[in-house]
Amino acid sequence: MTLDEIRSWLQENDPQKLETLWKQADTLRRKNVGNVVFLRGLVEISNICRRNCLYCGIRAANSKPDRYRMSTSEILDTAKLAKNLGYGTLVIQSGEDLTCQADEMADAIVQIKRETGLAVTLSLGERSEADYKAWFEAGANRYLLRFETSNEKLFHAIHPPAPGEQARNRVEILKSLRKIGYEIGSGVMAGIPGQTWEDLARDVAMFAELDLDMIGCGPFLPHPDTPLGGVGSQESGVGMADQVILDEHLPFKVIALARLVCPKANIPTTTAIATFDPKHGRLLGLSRGANVVMPNLTPTKYRKMYEIYPNKAAGSELPEETHERAVRQIEELGRTLGKGPGTSPRFLQKAVY
Ligand code: SAH
């Protein structure tokens, strides 16, 4: 697909044409990754963060959230819960928390692998090459690091480097993660103030260029305690003709286009989408290209503290309730639950050749 084609899909408003986009994405999804929906158990292990991303509610400068970090035994308990609920993968996410030392994390990974055999996906932000290697050697399988926007100037503006450090390029980090041996996942937020339609089209083209194994995208959701909190994309677009406008279709257009450019990738219908459209978001995502759901299994007492954006879906539930709801929704759609690790067909193929 050319950049112009991607862009015109992103800006398409004709309901009939959009139906053809949803259909194409759904067909490609079925052909390449089948009717199986994989569940990934998400555990948010720490909301401690040294960064000050302008969009994120757990940025260091926000003094409102109480800060927490789960112990290794709490993480292990969550892994066992995931295993007992039938999951094949545990996704471990946190702020950029350097108090979580590489060897402690490596030890947790070793224990999770030994006691549950789950595939382990990490989403711990920007760390050193040595840390990434140590975790891979400990048994981690996948790494998620969104490049957030392919517009480098905008990225560095909303994601400033830690004090005294050089800004890093997440696309380069993704390439080195792949070299280490990880399955790599990335993605963007749609509707960031200052993001143009051209930028978002380039984001989709970047998914293809990186040939991603996993693509996670969602709408930008303003958090009131952040510098981007008061601004919806519409207002900030004043004076910027090409500003992306976040409407009800946009998050699904990004998912559908991700499926078109990376047919064999694992693509979740994300929590941000479920938060944006609580009634139908998750199901629409699954009907328009997605094949993965990531139910939040974080212990209830910590959930409210991991508030990267407000009103996060499943904010006060028990992990078992979140899980049950996901299973019901998948069954309602007539899709089947995945078993086992659910490695992306893209990665498996690569491994064969
Ligand atoms: N510290 C890790 C994990 C961050 S949270 C990292 O930086 O990779 C995971 C994702 O949540 C981020 O990559 C970002 O795309 C998304 N996110 C953060 N704040 C958001 C907001 N206000 N609206 C929508 N998505 C947001």
Side-chain angles (χ1 to χ4, degrees), residues 55-56 93-95 125 145-146 148 170 189 219 221 308-309:
Y55 46 87
C56 184
Q93 190 177 87
S94 72
L145 188 74
R146 292 188 179 180
E148 316 292 2
R170 284 194 166 195
M189 291 179 283
L221 302 167
I308 51 183
Y309 45 79

Side-chain angles (χ1 to χ4, degrees), residues 293-310:
V293 177
M294 297 167 67
N296 191 342
L297 302 183
T298 306
T300 314
K301 63 177 173 179
Y302 296 130
R303 285 190 187 202
K304 280 259 176 287
M305 291 186 247
Y306 198 87
E307 198 192 55
I308 51 183
Y309 45 79

